[in-house]
Amino acid sequence: MGVSGFIKGFKLLHRTKPRIRLHPYGYIQRRYFLDTKILNSSDSLLPVLIVGAGPVGLVLSVLLTKFGIKCTVLEKNKGFSKHPQAHFINNRTMEVFRKLDGLAEEIQRSQPPVDLWGKFIYCTSLTGSILGSVDHMHPQDFEKIVSPVSVAHFSQYKLTRLLVKLLENLGFGIHTLEGPDSLDHEPLRGGEILMGYECVSIDTTDECVTATVSFSKEGKLLMRKIQSKILIGADGAGSMVRKLVGIDLKGEKDLQKLVSVHFWSKDLGRYLLNERPGMLFFIFNTEVIGVIVAHDLTQGEFVLQIPFYPPQQNLEDFSPEICKKLILKLVGQELSDIDVIDIKPWVMHAEVAERFACGNNQIMLCGDAAHRFPPAGGFGMNTGIQDAHNLAWKIASLLNGVAPTSILATYETERKPIAVFNTALSVQNFRAAMAVPATLGLDPTVANSVHQVINKGFGSILPSSMQKAILDGIFSIGRSQLSEFILNENNPLGSSRLAKLRHIFEEGKSLQLQFPAEDLGFSVSLNPCTGVRYLEGALVPDSDDVVPAPELPTGRRRDYVPCADPGSRLPHMKAKVLSNFPSEETISTLDLVSENKVEFLLIIAPMEESYNLAQAAFKVAEEYKVSTKVCILWPADSVTRVQPESKAKLAPWKNYIDVIEVKRSLDSSSWWSTCQMTEQGAILVRPDEHIAWRSKSRVVGDLYSKMKIVFSTVLGFESMNS
C-alpha cells in the first residue's frame, strides 16, 4: 500500500452505542473457571482508571493529578521494564515536560552531551570503513528560537523512572502484590499505581465503566472489579483494552520482524566516544547486518536491532552467547566486557485504531494502544505523550463540570488524523532507511519475498532444517555484495553504488531523525506558514479558513515556521514579565499557559478595543465557570504606562498579566507580525497550548455575544445545540 493510499484509507467513524458490555475472549474467558475468587471491595467510583504504566499512562496520570483529577494506574507487569526502547524525545514532548515539575531540565542534565548522539553512521563495522554519516543536529536546533527547549536523547526506562519519582512526589504510591503495601483488598481512592494487575473484562453503563482485573497472589488467580467514570487504555501496542472493546487496527502489518538485544560494554562506549560518536550505527558486512543504537556512550549502554525470520529462525538462534558473537562481528574487533542483558523479538507495524473511543466516550485509547508506528523518526512515544496532553484537560473539564461529554469526542477528532499522518511519515522514513541497503545491492523487499516463498510457496513442503539452510544460503549470497572486492572505488559496480549512496546522504533521502515542522505542531495538512494544526475539534476555525486537501508527508526534514491559525500550537517568543515591574523575569509565551489548572489564556495588545474584548471574555468565562487569564503583550519599545493602564482597564477582574516582547535583534519580527496578525487582533489559547480561536484584526459588533459563541464552541456546548 502506498503512502497516499495509507492516508486515504483512514476515515473517521461514527461513535458506538452508549452502552456496551464487553467480556474477555480466549484464554482470559477460560481463566474464570480456574481456581479464582472475585473480591468485593468497597471502592468508591474512581474518576479515571488508566490501564498501562508506560510513559503515556504515567504522563497522563501526572497531568490529571496536576489538574485536580484523581486517578489510579494499573500495570499488568510486576515491575517496570528496563529495556531502553524509545529514546528520542522531540521538541513538542520536551515542551510538555517543561510543565511537569522540572522534568525537561532533569532529562537535559541526565542525557549524554548532544555532540555524542547527533549522527547516524553507516559502516562495514564499528571499527571498519565508514560508508557515510549524517549529522541530524543543526545549529538552530539549540538556539531556542522556535521553542524554549531542545530535543533530547534519553532511554524510555530512565524516563519511566523519573515519571514514577514525579508521581511519588505528587502523593502516588507504588503497590506490588508481594510487598506489605499490597492493595488487593483495600479500597482505591486514586493516587495508586498497582503492579501485576491485568484488565480482563470491561462492562459499561451510563454511569460508569467496570473493569474486572486479574492478579496472582500466593499461587491463586484472583479477580477484582474496579469502577470508574472514565477508563483509559494506555497499555501499549498489544493493548488488551483495545481488544476487549473490539476496536480494530487499520494499516500495514508485519513490515519487519526484528530481535532487540540490550547489552552493555564500557570498552565499546569508550572506543566510540573517541573515534566515531553517534546515535545509530547501520552496519553492513558479509557476515551480519544490524543496527546498533547507542543509548549512552559514556555508560556503554547499547541495543542491537537485527532482522528476524521465523519460523526458520527462532529465539534459540539468538541466545546470549550467539548475540555476543554477532555483536563482535558488527564491532569488528574483540571486546571482553560485553554483557547481554535482555533479548526480545518484536514486530514492526504501521497501524491506527479505527476508533480512539467507545462507550459514549467513557473508554479512550491513548499512545501505542491507538497507533503502532515504525520507530523511524521516533514518533511512537512522542505522539502518545502528546495524545495524553490533548486528552488531560478535556477529561478535567468534563469531570469538573466545565464542559459537557461532547468535549471528549474532540480527542479522536483531533488526534486520529495526527496518528494517521505520523504513521504515513514513519513509513516514508522507514522506506528511506531501506534505500541504503538497496543501493548496496541488498534490497530488503527481495529478502522478504524470498522469505514468503519459503513460508508459503514450494519451500513450505521442505523439512524445516532445509528451509533454514536455503534461507541462510540466500542471505549469505546477498551479503557477498558487501565484500571489499565489490564495494570499493576501483570496482565499477562498487564505485557506482558508493556514488549513489553519497547522493542519498547529501540529498537528505536517508533515514531522518528530526521533523521540526511536524514536531512543533500536528497536521494532516501543511498550511502556507508550515505550522501544523488541528483542523477541527475544540476550536473555532477562521471564518475565511479553507480546509486544504490532505497532504502527503515528504519524509524530509522541514523547518518549522510559527503559525497562529486556530488549532496550531502557540508560537514561542521570549517575553519579560512586567506585572511585578521592575522584575527581570524572562519567560516563553508558552509559560503564560498555566501548568497546574485548566485555564484558558487570552492574548491581547494594550489597546482600548482589546481591553473591552477581555472584559467580555472574563464575563463569559465566569458564566461558564472556566478559569481564564488575560495576557497584555506590550511591544518591545514601551514599558512606562503598563501598571496603571491594565489595572484600570480590566477592573474589577484581576487574573491578568502584563508582559513585554523580548526581541532577539532589532530587526526581529514583533509578536503580532510573527503570528501574521495585526495588533488589534486577539488569540485565545487552550490549556494544552493550542490556539482555540483568534481574530486577525479588531473584533467588531457585540463582544460579549462573540466571546460566548467562542467559549461555547470550544467547550462543546455549541455541538449540543446543533
Side-chain angles (χ1 to χ4, degrees):
M1 182 187 295
V3 175
S4 175
F6 185 91
I7 292 181
K8 292 177 182 176
F10 286 93
K11 294 182 179 179
L12 295 176
L13 302 179
H14 294 293
R15 305 283 167 181
T16 55
K17 296 178 181 179
R19 180 182 170 87
I20 56 176
R21 186 173 179 83
L22 305 149
H23 292 288
Y25 14 25
Y27 75 99
I28 295 178
Q29 195 169 14
R30 291 193 296 273
R31 284 164 68 174
Y32 278 109
F33 299 100
L34 300 177
D35 183 18
T36 66
K37 180 181 180 182
I38 304 265
L39 300 177
N40 293 316
S41 67
S42 57
D43 290 349
S44 57
L45 186 63
L46 284 170
V48 181
L49 178 65
I50 299 171
V51 180
V56 174
L58 295 177
V59 167
L60 180 58
S61 62
V62 172
L63 291 168
L64 289 173
T65 301
K66 290 173 78 68
F67 287 155
I69 303 299
K70 291 185 177 182
C71 59
T72 292
V73 184
L74 302 182
E75 171 55 48
K76 69 177 181 180
N77 296 305
K78 294 183 178 181
F80 295 104
S81 172
K82 294 184 179 179
H83 201 88
Q85 296 173 281
H87 55 95
F88 180 67
I89 307 176
N90 69 20
N91 258 137
R92 185 62 187 134
T93 299
M94 286 295 283
E95 288 179 351
V96 173
F97 287 171
R98 285 181 76 243
K99 300 291 186 76
L100 302 187
D101 298 344
L103 179 60
E105 291 81 358
E106 180 67 25
I107 290 170
Q108 290 175 320
R109 284 194 298 268
S110 304
Q111 71 173 349
V114 67
D115 57 349
L116 301 183
W117 53 265
K119 289 183 179 180
F120 290 178
I121 296 174
Y122 300 79
C123 52
T124 58
S125 74
L126 292 183
T127 57
S129 301
I130 292 181
L131 303 172
S133 68
V134 179
D135 191 342
H136 293 280
M137 297 298 143
H138 296 186
Q140 66 266 30
D141 296 335
F142 300 94
E143 293 173 357
K144 299 183 179 180
I145 296 172
V146 297
S147 175
V149 67
S150 304
V151 299
H153 174 45
F154 195 66
S155 299
Q156 181 173 320
Y157 79 93
K158 296 179 181 177
L159 173 61
T160 298
R161 189 183 300 158
L162 292 183
L163 287 168
V164 170
K165 180 180 177 183
L166 198 161
L167 282 166
E168 288 177 326
N169 291 339
L170 291 172
F172 271 69
I174 315 300
H175 303 278
T176 60
L177 289 166
E178 305 304 327
D181 54 356
S182 172
L183 290 182
D184 50 302
H185 290 83
E186 299 297 321
L188 302 178
R189 309 294 186 192
E192 305 97 356
I193 300 177
L194 306 181
M195 306 300 295
Y197 290 76
E198 183 176 9
C199 181
V200 296
S201 74
I202 300 172
D203 183 27
T204 70
T205 66
D206 292 337
E207 290 75 33
C208 70
V209 181
T210 301
T212 301
V213 300
S214 69
F215 57 98
S216 298
K217 189 166 186 179
E218 298 176 353
K220 292 185 178 181
L221 181 67
L222 304 175
M223 299 286 181
R224 175 174 183 168
K225 294 183 181 295
I226 302 174
Q227 293 186 323
S228 62
K229 294 179 181 178
I230 295 172
L231 184 146
I232 307 296
D235 49 340
S239 172
M240 182 56 68
V241 171
R242 186 186 65 237
K243 294 172 183 176
L244 289 172
V245 300
I247 295 178
D248 293 327
L249 294 163
K250 190 171 184 179
E252 296 185 66
K253 291 181 181 291
D254 297 348
L255 287 173
Q256 191 175 21
K257 294 181 175 68
L258 300 107
V259 169
S260 178
V261 183
H262 179 204
F263 71 96
W264 294 78
S265 171
K266 288 195 173 182
D267 288 347
L268 178 58
R270 278 191 291 268
Y271 169 78
L272 293 175
L273 276 172
N274 294 324
E275 300 297 329
R276 52 180 72 170
M279 177 192 283
L280 298 188
F281 297 85
F282 298 83
I283 305 163
F284 306 93
N285 63 48
T286 56
E287 294 189 278
V288 65
I289 295 169
V291 179
I292 289 182
V293 184
H295 280 263
D296 193 329
L297 290 178
T298 57
Q299 295 181 8
E301 183 175 23
F302 302 89
V303 168
L304 165 63
Q305 303 286 2
I306 193 163
F308 180 41
Y309 294 94
Q312 292 77 27
Q313 294 178 337
N314 56 55
L315 273 183
E316 293 176 358
D317 297 317
F318 297 92
S319 66
E321 284 305 312
I322 292 175
C323 286
K324 286 183 183 180
K325 293 178 181 178
L326 292 172
I327 292 166
L328 291 176
K329 290 176 181 179
L330 291 165
V331 171
Q333 69 178 29
E334 286 296 319
L335 293 171
S336 60
D337 68 339
I338 296 175
D339 185 12
V340 175
I341 304 299
D342 193 19
I343 302 166
K344 295 174 65 173
W346 65 283
V347 183
M348 186 188 300
H349 304 287
E351 298 176 297
V352 178
E354 290 187 334
R355 290 170 288 139
F356 281 22
C358 64
N360 199 26
N361 298 314
Q362 295 166 286
I363 303 169
M364 322 284 284
L365 300 180
C366 207
D368 286 355
H371 39 72
R372 310 197 292 193
F373 303 155
F379 284 99
M381 182 181 72
N382 288 297
T383 304
I385 287 169
Q386 292 152 26
D387 289 343
H389 194 229
N390 179 284
L391 185 56
W393 75 270
K394 296 174 180 178
I395 291 175
S397 296
L398 171 65
L399 296 183
N400 286 332
V402 170
T405 56
S406 57
I407 189 72
L408 295 186
T410 66
Y411 167 65
E412 179 178 312
T413 301
E414 293 178 353
R415 293 305 299 173
K416 184 178 177 183
I418 305 308
V420 172
F421 185 88
N422 285 353
T423 305
L425 182 54
S426 298
V427 170
Q428 191 93 333
N429 206 22
F430 171 68
R431 305 289 187 213
M434 295 300 100
V436 172
T439 300
L440 295 174
L442 298 166
D443 191 338
T445 60
V446 174
N448 290 334
S449 297
V450 168
H451 189 226
Q452 288 294 319
V453 169
I454 293 176
N455 280 340
K456 299 180 180 179
F458 74 90
S460 61
I461 63 174
L462 299 175
S464 58
S465 58
M466 189 174 294
Q467 291 182 32
K468 188 176 188 303
I470 292 172
L471 189 69
D472 290 344
I474 292 173
F475 286 171
S476 179
I477 293 171
R479 290 194 301 272
S480 68
Q481 300 293 311
L482 303 170
S483 68
E484 292 183 6
F485 173 74
I486 295 177
L487 205 60
N488 71 81
E489 295 290 355
N490 296 321
N491 184 309
L493 177 59
S495 178
S496 173
R497 287 175 175 174
L498 291 172
K500 289 179 181 177
L501 195 61
R502 286 192 294 271
H503 178 75
I504 287 174
F505 296 143
E506 290 166 1
E507 294 296 313
K509 294 181 178 179
S510 60
L511 177 70
Q512 298 298 298
L513 176 64
Q514 286 214 77
F515 295 88
E518 290 79 11
D519 289 350
L520 290 176
F522 326 98
S523 185
V524 291
S525 175
L526 310 177
N527 62 24
C529 61
T530 76
V532 258
R533 57 186 176 124
Y534 300 133
L535 299 179
E536 55 181 332
L539 54 91
V540 182
D542 287 341
S543 58
D544 58 351
D545 194 13
V546 177
V547 177
E551 192 167 325
L552 301 181
T554 64
R556 309 277 187 90
R557 172 178 171 138
R558 297 181 317 109
D559 287 331
Y560 165 79
V561 177
C563 182
D565 289 350
S568 301
R569 159 252 195 207
L570 180 70
H572 156 72
M573 178 181 278
K574 286 185 178 180
K576 186 181 295 184
V577 177
L578 296 175
S579 295
N580 295 314
F581 189 76
S583 168
E584 295 296 321
E585 183 184 9
T586 300
I587 62 172
S588 165
T589 46
L590 295 169
D591 296 327
L592 296 167
V593 180
S594 175
E595 62 184 67
N596 293 316
K597 61 180 176 179
V598 177
E599 183 176 72
F600 285 79
L601 173 74
L602 181 66
I603 302 177
I604 61 171
M607 307 187 72
E608 187 70 28
E609 299 86 349
S610 298
Y611 281 121
N612 292 338
L613 181 70
Q615 286 272 4
F618 274 133
K619 291 176 183 177
V620 172
E622 185 178 55
E623 291 177 13
Y624 280 112
K625 298 180 181 178
V626 57
S627 180
T628 299
K629 179 168 64 179
V630 169
C631 168
I632 306 93
L633 202 151
W634 294 74
D637 56 357
S638 62
V639 293
T640 56
R641 56 195 178 90
V642 173
Q643 282 290 338
E645 182 157 339
S646 295
K647 184 176 182 179
K649 296 291 186 181
L650 293 176
W653 311 102
K654 296 181 180 179
N655 193 19
Y656 68 89
I657 183 171
D658 286 292
V659 302
I660 187 169
E661 299 172 339
V662 176
K663 289 188 174 183
R664 289 183 292 110
S665 62
L666 291 175
D667 57 351
S668 296
S669 297
S670 70
W671 168 257
W672 299 106
S673 295
T674 297
C675 295
Q676 301 181 25
M677 298 167 58
T678 73
E679 63 179 5
Q680 295 176 315
I683 300 172
L684 183 68
V685 188
R686 308 188 321 193
D688 63 353
E689 299 165 0
H690 279 254
I691 294 171
W693 165 83
R694 60 96 176 260
S695 178
K696 297 179 185 178
S697 56
R698 185 168 68 92
V699 179
V700 296
D702 185 343
L703 301 182
Y704 171 83
S705 297
K706 177 64 178 179
M707 295 313 299
K708 189 156 190 175
I709 291 172
V710 168
F711 274 98
S712 65
T713 302
V714 173
L715 293 172
F717 291 103
E718 192 71 18
S719 62
M720 294 175 64
N721 300 325
S722 60

